[in-house]
Amino acid sequence: MNEQSSWIWDTPNAHFSRHLPDEPIGYFSPNALRSKVSAFQAGFDGLLSYAVKANPDPDVLRCLTQNGVSIFDVASPAEIEMVRAIHPEAKLHYHNPVRSAQEIAQAKLHGIASWSVDALSELDKLGDLPKGSEIAVRIKLPVAGGLYNFGEKFGAEPAQAVPLLKAVAMRGLAPAITFHPGTQCTAPSAWESYIKAAAQIAKAAEVRLLSLNVGGGFPADRAAQPVDLLGIFNRIKAAKERYFCDQNPVLVCEPGRGLVADAFALVLRVKNIRPDGALVLNDGIYGALAEWRDMPPAHSRHIAVFNSKGDERLGKPAPRIIFGPTCDSLDRLCEPLALPSDIKEEDFVSIQGTGAYSAVLTSRFNGYGCSKQIYCRALTSAPRHL
Ligand SMILES: Cc1ncc(COP(=O)(O)O)c(C=O)c1O
């Protein structure tokens, strides 16, 4: 637990209306994280692995571990060490399919339960592995659903995946298939298409899969409609039963965003209202809103504005251009935000669902960037404007 997190506040509002912080603050609710973990554990018909890249904060890793998460998807030796420091016995899935020889050697020292590959050259590069080590062949399909295309960088086409899977089995390793439908994927049909293709690939390779890893991609609550995680879990289960018939690979999911995003709120402050009505906030795309360069902002139902006393501004929402605090004119959100028309300088802007790919992508450009994390029991209290 870091220095700032030794205090637990009821809500972000209780904290910021008392301390009037001038710097951006990430508010973390372990209760919210616990309930997300429970939703995955109760609803997903398989194993839960956490994609560390989304938020490798030690307090997050500790909270996950304390709530029964014992499998971690790691992308690098540095992430392996972060996990090992918190959970020495954790199962590690090294599912970044491209690694250097040095990275492989380092990872082997820590014991890797599952490696993903999307090319024969990467399988060869792994060298000798303990018999029965799991190798998950990463596949890609032209399937829409996520906010951007994860297949651009990684994944084997089905025709290449078949010989790769055969090669895994012939080397005495345990074959698995993995995929990622794209982050913030709200279309259950994307998982269904992948599961169908995975079954066809396994059949063509004449291989029985040890496991089927359905990736991350599970959406956080950032859109106009609430997310239906259970609906996605049920479609995944039904698709596995339908397409794998008598085979019964263990299902694994490895969410990042879907698990941690909704356990955090980011609270920013209005530094200035420009003469044309644009707002300058104390954080932006070089900080905790880095992702908002590549995806639309959260829907306004996840954003609220408060005055310094902690009272919510309820003016009619109006679109505002948003700049971050740096001297760089690119430091601007790609879309305007609808914010209450009575917003004032020094008000606080609270954005729910900012626990994934935010703190970890924050730079210190121009000396800015959110580095403070405060613990809260809950993330909201006041009624929200719609
Ligand atoms: C292999 C792998 N698994 C899981 C994830 C987590 O994805 P998400 O945060 O969309 O759940 C990622 C994200 O890049 C990934 O590359």
Side-chain angles (χ1 to χ4, degrees):
M1 191 179 283
N2 61 33
E3 183 228 328
Q4 291 86 16
S5 57
S6 50
W7 273 82
I8 297 196
W9 294 81
D10 279 341
T11 58
N13 192 316
H15 174 264
F16 69 71
S17 59
R18 174 152 178 197
H19 286 283
L20 306 180
D22 211 36
E23 75 267 59
I25 308 270
Y27 291 94
F28 171 34
S29 166
N31 289 338
L33 185 53
R34 263 191 286 278
S35 72
K36 226 7 127 53
V37 172
S38 302
F40 273 88
Q41 286 167 337
F44 182 76
D45 186 38
L47 303 175
L48 171 61
S49 163
Y50 170 59
V52 174
K53 57 182 77 73
N55 190 331
D57 182 273
D59 289 347
V60 167
L61 297 180
R62 203 170 289 118
C63 180
L64 290 170
T65 302
Q66 286 163 355
N67 287 283
V69 178
S70 59
I71 310 176
F72 294 84
D73 160 42
V74 289
S76 63
E79 284 190 359
I80 291 173
E81 280 171 25
M82 289 172 198
V83 173
R84 282 281 177 253
I86 305 286
H87 192 330
E89 310 302 324
K91 266 195 167 180
L92 300 173
H93 289 185
Y94 196 166
H95 281 182
N96 179 347
V98 175
R99 317 160 190 89
S100 70
Q102 286 86 341
E103 286 172 333
I104 291 168
Q106 273 177 275
K108 282 182 176 175
L109 298 176
H110 290 276
I112 299 295
S114 175
W115 307 77
S116 80
V117 296
D118 62 0
L120 194 57
S121 58
E122 288 300 311
L123 177 61
D124 289 343
K125 211 198 269 179
L126 292 177
D128 288 338
L129 293 173
K131 207 169 165 30
S133 297
E134 180 180 277
I135 302 290
V137 171
R138 171 119 170 216
I139 60 170
K140 68 171 170 189
L141 296 176
V143 166
L147 277 188
Y148 49 93
N149 180 6
F150 267 47
E152 258 177 28
K153 188 165 179 190
F154 295 129
E157 309 270 358
Q160 296 143 7
V162 172
L164 190 49
L165 203 56
K166 273 190 173 160
V168 169
M170 280 172 61
R171 292 176 195 199
L173 301 164
I177 288 184
T178 185
F179 59 83
H180 195 303
T183 202
Q184 188 67 24
C185 181
T186 47
S189 56
W191 278 275
E192 207 165 42
S193 306
Y194 267 106
I195 292 168
K196 181 177 179 189
Q200 289 166 343
I201 291 165
K203 193 168 177 206
E206 298 172 313
V207 154
R208 200 179 178 94
L209 298 185
L210 177 69
S211 62
L212 175 64
N213 185 320
V214 299
F218 298 91
D221 196 14
R222 70 188 307 281
Q225 301 302 322
V227 300
D228 179 14
L229 275 182
L230 198 55
I232 297 175
F233 295 156
N234 289 339
R235 285 281 281 276
I236 290 173
K237 181 174 189 298
K240 182 191 109 167
E241 283 164 2
R242 175 165 179 205
Y243 295 113
F244 278 88
C245 308
D246 54 325
Q247 286 199 26
N248 194 18
V250 176
L251 280 178
V252 185
C253 65
E254 53 184 28
R257 181 188 308 283
L259 204 54
V260 285
D262 297 335
F264 282 74
L266 177 70
V267 174
L268 309 182
R269 202 161 193 196
V270 180
K271 292 185 76 172
N272 183 237
I273 301 185
R274 309 303 293 163
D276 63 0
L279 297 186
V280 182
L281 301 181
N282 62 354
D283 201 17
I285 58 160
Y286 292 110
L289 298 179
E291 272 203 314
W292 290 22
R293 232 177 332 202
D294 305 303
M295 60 170 65
H299 186 267
S300 58
R301 86 184 170 89
H302 305 288
I303 302 177
V305 176
F306 299 88
N307 66 19
S308 306
K309 292 189 190 131
D311 300 323
E312 186 167 358
R313 299 268 188 209
L314 296 170
K316 192 164 179 274
R320 302 265 188 173
I321 290 173
I322 305 291
F323 290 106
T326 71
C327 298
D328 182 349
S329 49
L330 293 178
D331 187 3
R332 168 186 172 155
L333 295 192
C334 60
E335 283 181 31
L337 279 191
L339 296 173
S341 52
D342 51 343
I343 191 168
K344 299 266 186 315
E345 244 172 62
E346 303 213 325
D347 277 357
F348 293 96
V349 179
S350 154
I351 308 170
Q352 300 291 328
T354 45
Y357 310 105
S358 50
V360 73
L361 291 177
T362 293
S363 79
R364 298 295 291 169
F365 185 41
N366 279 206
Y368 290 107
C370 170
S371 57
K372 205 160 177 180
Q373 188 160 297
I374 301 280
Y375 266 53
C376 291
R377 289 193 177 83
L379 292 170
T380 51
S381 55
R384 321 287 313 283
H385 71 272
L386 290 174

